[in-house]
Amino acid sequence: TLTQLLHQNIIKLGYEQSNAFFFDTLAIKANQAIQGHIRQIAQGHQMNFYYTENYIQISLDETTSLADIEEITRIFAQADGVD
């Protein structure tokens, strides 16, 4: 599924995804500094994630495409300095 693909991509980039079991929502561990950086990049891509104290949550639905997964991956890669 696309959620599994995003999970794999996030893990490959070195982020920690905290949901042991998931269907459509991932919880990615991120401190406030990383969250701020990702939020800024994501807004530039017109994407919005849900931010909590220690996590960024991303929910996918039936409208999510492979291109969306690739774009989300690029956002996290850019925030991590990989892109």
Side-chain angles (χ1 to χ4, degrees):
T1 67
L2 292 177
T3 308
Q4 290 170 328
L5 177 60
L6 180 57
H7 168 79
Q8 292 168 356
N9 292 350
I10 293 296
I11 297 301
K12 285 179 187 174
L13 290 172
Y15 292 93
E16 180 183 337
Q17 198 288 120
S18 67
N19 294 345
F21 302 99
F22 53 85
F23 175 69
D24 63 356
T25 302
L26 300 180
I28 301 146
K29 191 169 186 171
N31 64 36
Q32 295 295 311
I34 293 171
Q35 286 188 26
H37 195 54
I38 289 173
R39 184 187 311 252
Q40 183 179 26
I41 297 166
Q43 287 174 344
H45 288 258
Q46 298 182 342
M47 291 206 156
N48 187 35
F49 307 135
Y50 180 70
Y51 301 87
T52 66
E53 187 173 335
N54 296 309
Y55 296 95
I56 299 171
Q57 294 183 355
I58 301 174
S59 294
L60 309 180
D61 63 20
E62 63 278 354
T63 67
T64 305
S65 68
L66 180 58
D68 294 325
I69 300 303
E70 292 168 348
E71 188 169 6
I72 294 167
T73 301
R74 281 193 300 273
I75 290 167
F76 277 79
Q78 185 178 350
D80 196 38
V82 174
D83 192 25

